[in-house]
Amino acid sequence: MEHAPPPAEELALLDRELAELDARRAQLLTRRAWLLAALRPPTAAASPGWNPSAWGAPPAGRPGAPAQPWGYVPPKPSAPRGAQNVLLTLGGLLLAVAAIAFTLVSWGSMGIGGRSAVLAAATLGALAAPAVLLRRKLGATAEALGALALVLTLLDAYAVHAVADPDVDGLAFTAVASAVLAAVWAVYGLALRPLRLPLPAAVVLAQWPPLLWAWAAGAPVLVIGWALLATAVLDGVIVLRGTGLGVRVTAGVGGAVTGFFALLVGLGESVTASGPLGASAPGVLLLAAAGAALAGAWRASEGFARLGGVVAGLTVVAAVGGVPASAAPEGWRVLPYLLCGIALASAVRSRLPRNAAHGVLVASGVVAAGSLLWALPPVAAVLLGPVTRLSEVWAGAPGGFRAAVGSTLPWPELAAAPLVLALVAGALGAAHRWWPAVARTAAPLFAPRTAAPDAPDAGGTAGAPGASAAPGAAPYGAWGWGVPGGARPAPLRRLSGASVRGAAGAVALVLAWGALLLAGAVLDAPYPVAVAGETVLVAGLLVPAVTGFAGDGSGRGASAAVPVTALVAAVCGAVSLGLLSLASEAVSYAVFGTLTVLFAGAAVRVRAQVPRAVFAVAAGVGGIVLTGFAGRSLGLAPHEGAPLLLLVPSVSVILGARLRHHPVALPVELTGAAGALVAVGLAVTDAPFLALVLALSGVLAAGAAVRPERRPVAGYLAAALFVLATWVRLAASDVSFPEAYTLPVSVPALVVGFLRRRRDAEASSWTAYGPGLGATLLPSLVVAWTDPDWDRPLLLGVAALVITLLGARYRLQALLVLGGVVLALDGLHELAPYVVHVAGALPRWVPPALAGLLLLVVGATYEQRLRDARRLKDTLGRMR
């Protein structure tokens, strides 16, 4: 039975133990400081300094002193190590330059004995000196002489070739010399381990013998690739087994470079092979490289293991896929590589290390993505190609799909593109359909790790205990990659898995749609078949969109990715299909009629607000296009067919009144407003039709203004449209005295406004007097600006002045603003000739100077002007 002391007694015991630990730590730090001071060579006295980073270090020379929060730093030596290293480096460099100059310049003036004696003595001395210097604790000097010895051995090799046997082939001699020197320097570095340069230098020299031997022997390119691969394997062994950071880093860089060029050699030979037999030899090289990469990934750390898995996966694809690809036609060579890439996904069930399996899966995705990059541009050409039909509306049905899209792509070379898209779509669709099984299979790979970070695989082999999930983890492995401390919470796991599944389904849907579109272009289907096929595709895309948003009204069941993607694809496909149908009149009616019905039906079926609004807007756009087609079929000019476009806006007003506060009502009415705007744009070229379209649009706006929720906007819009229609009609009739037509309208309107203000004092002056005043003032202002006489501007100015004064007297915003604006513009019209005359008479520098002076004054009184503007705004805001 274990005794547990009371809390107070246990607390006192802990305090005593902590005090003893602090005292012991202070003694050890004091002893350490004394030892450091004893090991340093005696130097001249230097000013003491305080080192803020030496927490708890006691002052040197004070044994037993308590630990201080800021440690005392002993005096520094007068010759810092940095300066010492610089001096030694420069000295070694000068000696190396002298040795090179002696070898290259003064060599010929000595006999063979003298030459040998000098170089041998210098080399042996440089090799032996570091051992003596290391025993005397002069490491920096030893490093400098070791570097000099390296240079001397290289000069010895050059001298041997230049004098002793100059007829030997230079490449072969260099290969032998680099191998011998690498071995010598490796033995030398192992013998004198404190030296940091010899072993990395030996690794650098070891990179060259295989390559130079193959090159000197005139070996084929593939043999050179094998030599490079052998060098990379040797570097990998050094990285895994070698000691010392410099050696491992040097070997890693060398292995990466030689391995990269070995892969380039194998890939180039595989791609350019004339048949399966010719592609087999580089395939073996690539498979060997893949095996080497996997072997390194088995024992490497996490990041390098994943990189090794990626390299191994891509290399296997290049090796295995290159054999059938060499026998395939030009447009089908990408298919074998894609099939091999899809087969790599089976790594989730292999016994590879977990990180290596991750890398192999990434390689599979890279291969699939590369195939899609090759196959997707033709899909974009098929979708965007029908834009050219806008300049050739109803010019006649083309013979085939390719002529309809107007693309000049090399279609025979793209024969495999639809199949590539279909294969990737099938793989992703299968993952989406059988997601639980996929997640259970991949759970060992993506479950949170519990093994120690320094384990051989940093997580263990898939399925091993080190790769098991934390207690309580979901069977799907959490998909919480890299989450420290165990599994993610269950809601986050479910969200992540649903997101991945939804993304897979969405991409599969888009790729399947693109595959079917591209198949029509590759096969050059007849134009009617192509149009019918695209119509069926749009209808098919609407099915998942409608079903996905019809359940709970939000599309959030498992993931909204699939229905949202289907919705976007359906809209894009409808736009492309509509443009494609412009080649033929009958096809245009059939396509847009079908699209309008499809989108209208989808708007009725779905319950989510945003998708329903999108479908309703699409149906409205289809109706507008159909009414435009009707005018063209009747042989009407664009301005003559403009009133027909107002059919859809009138229907939208009726639907808006029926839907009222429904969220879809506003998008429907905005679509109708867009149709009315298109009608106005078509009628701009003819003033009478423009006046008619403006008046009809005003009627529709007035009909919408009957509803209280639309009255604030639609009411003003209706008044503006009616006034514009009046002005345009007057201008079209060449009326020179618009007051004869506007005053009979303005006077009753002002009377009605006055009576309304008497009944409702809170009514806005814009609603009461704005239409009446605008109907006369604004047309008169337009005519006054083109009137050379003085009477009209004078009368208009007087009337505007009276209206402005009345607005200021009775605090009516409409009268004040309209009267003031008209008065100012009328006065500007009268002053314009004089302003132009004065501006022409002034020097050219005066207007910029005046503008600059004005800006300075405004800038200096900016705050006051801002307060005045706010005061004016508040005053106008308080008016009715």
Side-chain angles (χ1 to χ4, degrees):
M1 185 172 181
E2 186 177 356
H3 171 70
E9 182 180 350
E10 184 178 2
L11 179 61
L13 179 62
L14 291 177
D15 289 338
R16 285 195 300 270
E17 291 179 356
L18 289 174
E20 293 174 0
L21 289 174
D22 289 339
R24 181 59 179 165
R25 181 175 183 273
Q27 293 175 2
L28 294 175
L29 289 174
T30 302
R31 182 61 180 172
R32 179 179 181 275
W34 184 87
L35 291 173
L36 289 175
L39 290 174
R40 291 194 183 97
T43 56
S47 61
W50 293 92
N51 182 8
S53 64
W55 287 88
R62 294 176 56 192
Q68 301 295 331
W70 299 96
Y72 178 80
V73 178
K76 294 183 179 179
S78 60
R81 290 187 178 274
Q84 178 186 11
N85 292 335
V86 171
L87 294 176
L88 291 174
T89 302
L90 289 176
L93 183 62
L94 291 175
L95 288 176
V97 171
I100 294 173
F102 170 76
T103 304
L104 298 179
V105 177
S106 301
W107 186 259
S109 61
M110 300 179 64
I112 186 65
R115 302 170 187 173
S116 303
V118 170
L119 270 182
T123 304
L124 291 176
L127 289 173
V132 178
L133 293 172
L134 287 175
R135 284 197 296 269
R136 295 179 178 272
K137 304 294 191 276
L138 300 176
T141 308
E143 288 286 352
L145 290 180
L148 177 62
L150 173 62
V151 176
L152 289 176
T153 54
L154 295 176
L155 293 176
D156 286 337
Y158 168 76
V160 169
H161 179 263
V163 176
D165 199 357
D167 297 330
V168 176
D169 181 52
L171 286 176
F173 181 84
T174 305
V176 175
S178 59
V180 172
L181 289 177
V184 169
W185 276 95
V187 173
Y188 186 73
L190 292 175
L192 300 178
R193 286 187 177 274
L195 294 180
R196 292 190 293 267
L197 186 61
L199 288 178
V203 173
V204 172
L205 290 174
Q207 307 299 310
W208 299 102
L211 175 63
L212 294 177
W213 278 331
W215 194 357
V221 177
L222 204 57
V223 175
I224 294 177
W226 279 104
L228 292 170
L229 180 60
T231 306
V233 171
L234 176 62
D235 289 329
V237 173
I238 296 174
V239 169
L240 295 176
R241 301 289 186 180
T243 58
L245 181 62
V247 174
R248 299 175 68 180
V249 170
T250 305
V253 173
V257 174
T258 54
F260 175 74
F261 282 103
L263 292 178
L264 281 184
V265 169
L267 182 61
E269 291 294 304
S270 177
V271 171
T272 58
S274 58
L277 187 60
S280 299
V284 174
L285 172 62
L286 293 173
L287 287 177
L294 279 182
W298 204 281
R299 297 185 56 85
S301 59
E302 180 177 350
F304 289 105
R306 292 185 179 179
L307 180 61
V310 173
V311 173
L314 294 177
T315 308
V316 167
V317 170
V320 178
V323 175
S326 62
E330 184 66 28
W332 294 86
R333 292 190 175 182
V334 71
L335 194 58
Y337 295 107
L338 176 61
L339 292 174
C340 294
I342 294 176
L344 281 182
S346 61
V348 297
R349 302 183 62 89
S350 66
R351 303 298 296 177
L352 289 174
R354 176 159 124 157
N355 293 315
H358 283 175
V360 174
L361 286 180
V362 171
S364 176
V366 169
V367 173
S371 302
L372 293 180
L373 287 178
W374 174 78
L376 284 177
V379 178
V382 171
L383 286 174
L384 300 177
V387 175
T388 57
R389 291 291 159 190
L390 288 173
S391 60
E392 301 176 356
V393 177
W394 295 354
F401 197 9
R402 298 179 189 175
V405 299
S407 177
T408 58
L409 292 175
W411 293 108
E413 298 179 6
L414 300 172
L419 190 55
V420 167
L421 295 176
L423 285 174
V424 180
L428 293 175
H432 175 77
R433 173 64 179 82
W434 292 286
W435 180 254
V438 173
R440 283 194 299 271
T441 303
L445 283 181
F446 299 105
R449 295 190 299 270
T450 58
D454 55 351
D457 186 39
T461 305
S468 60
Y476 290 1
W479 295 98
W481 306 324
V483 180
R488 291 186 178 185
L492 189 58
R493 289 200 302 269
R494 289 194 296 269
L495 176 62
S496 180
S499 301
V500 175
R501 179 181 187 180
V507 176
L509 180 67
V510 172
L511 294 180
W513 172 48
L516 293 174
L517 279 177
L518 199 55
V522 170
L523 298 175
D524 197 16
Y527 177 71
V529 175
V531 172
E534 286 206 36
T535 306
V536 172
L537 284 179
V538 173
L541 289 171
L542 288 176
V543 172
V546 172
T547 55
F549 290 109
D552 58 355
S554 63
R556 298 193 195 101
S559 173
V562 174
V564 169
T565 304
L567 172 61
V568 175
V571 173
C572 295
V575 173
S576 178
L577 174 60
L579 295 173
L580 186 66
S581 68
L582 296 179
S584 171
E585 180 178 1
V587 174
S588 299
Y589 277 107
V591 167
F592 278 95
T594 304
L595 292 177
T596 302
V597 172
L598 287 175
F599 282 110
V604 174
R605 290 292 304 275
V606 299
R607 294 170 54 189
Q609 297 177 5
V610 175
R612 177 177 286 187
V614 173
F615 290 140
V617 169
V621 172
I624 293 173
V625 175
L626 284 175
T627 54
F629 287 164
R632 185 181 179 91
S633 297
L634 294 174
L636 303 177
H639 64 272
E640 295 174 341
L644 291 176
L645 293 178
L646 297 177
L647 291 176
V648 174
S650 46
V651 173
S652 68
V653 171
I654 297 172
L655 287 177
R658 179 65 180 270
L659 297 172
R660 300 197 60 84
H661 297 287
H662 196 280
V664 182
L666 182 59
V668 169
E669 292 178 272
L670 290 178
T671 304
L677 187 62
V678 173
V680 171
L682 292 176
V684 165
T685 57
D686 189 270
F689 273 94
L690 178 59
L692 175 61
V693 171
L694 289 172
L696 293 176
S697 300
V699 172
L700 295 177
V706 174
R707 297 158 53 198
E709 67 274 12
R710 298 286 185 261
R711 189 171 299 158
V713 176
Y716 290 115
L717 180 60
L721 289 173
F722 282 133
V723 171
L724 284 175
T726 303
W727 296 348
V728 173
R729 183 66 261 181
L730 293 176
S733 302
D734 296 328
V735 175
S736 58
F737 294 97
E739 294 81 5
Y741 299 91
T742 58
L743 283 176
V745 176
S746 295
V747 172
L750 292 174
V751 172
V752 172
F754 176 76
L755 295 177
R756 180 179 178 184
R757 288 274 299 174
R758 290 189 62 182
R759 290 195 303 270
D760 182 11
E762 297 298 324
S764 172
S765 61
W766 288 99
T767 305
Y769 303 119
L773 292 175
T776 297
L777 288 179
L778 298 180
S780 299
L781 178 63
V782 173
V783 177
W785 267 80
T786 59
D787 193 348
D789 297 329
W790 60 270
D791 50 353
R792 183 189 299 278
L794 177 61
L795 294 175
L796 180 62
V798 171
L801 177 62
V802 172
I803 293 172
T804 303
L805 295 176
L806 289 175
R809 171 66 180 80
Y810 294 103
R811 303 182 62 80
L812 298 175
Q813 190 181 96
L815 275 68
L816 181 63
V817 173
L818 282 175
V821 170
V822 172
L823 181 61
L825 293 176
D826 185 66
L828 181 61
H829 169 263
E830 294 303 309
L831 292 176
Y834 302 101
V835 172
V836 172
H837 178 71
V838 171
L842 289 176
R844 293 183 179 272
W845 60 268
V846 173
L850 294 176
L853 182 61
L854 177 62
L855 290 177
L856 288 176
V857 173
V858 172
T861 60
Y862 175 75
E863 294 294 337
Q864 182 62 37
R865 302 286 78 78
L866 192 60
R867 286 193 294 271
D868 294 342
R870 289 172 179 168
R871 191 178 300 112
L872 177 61
K873 173 190 171 188
D874 295 338
T875 302
L876 287 174
R878 287 192 296 268
M879 293 182 178
R880 300 302 301 171

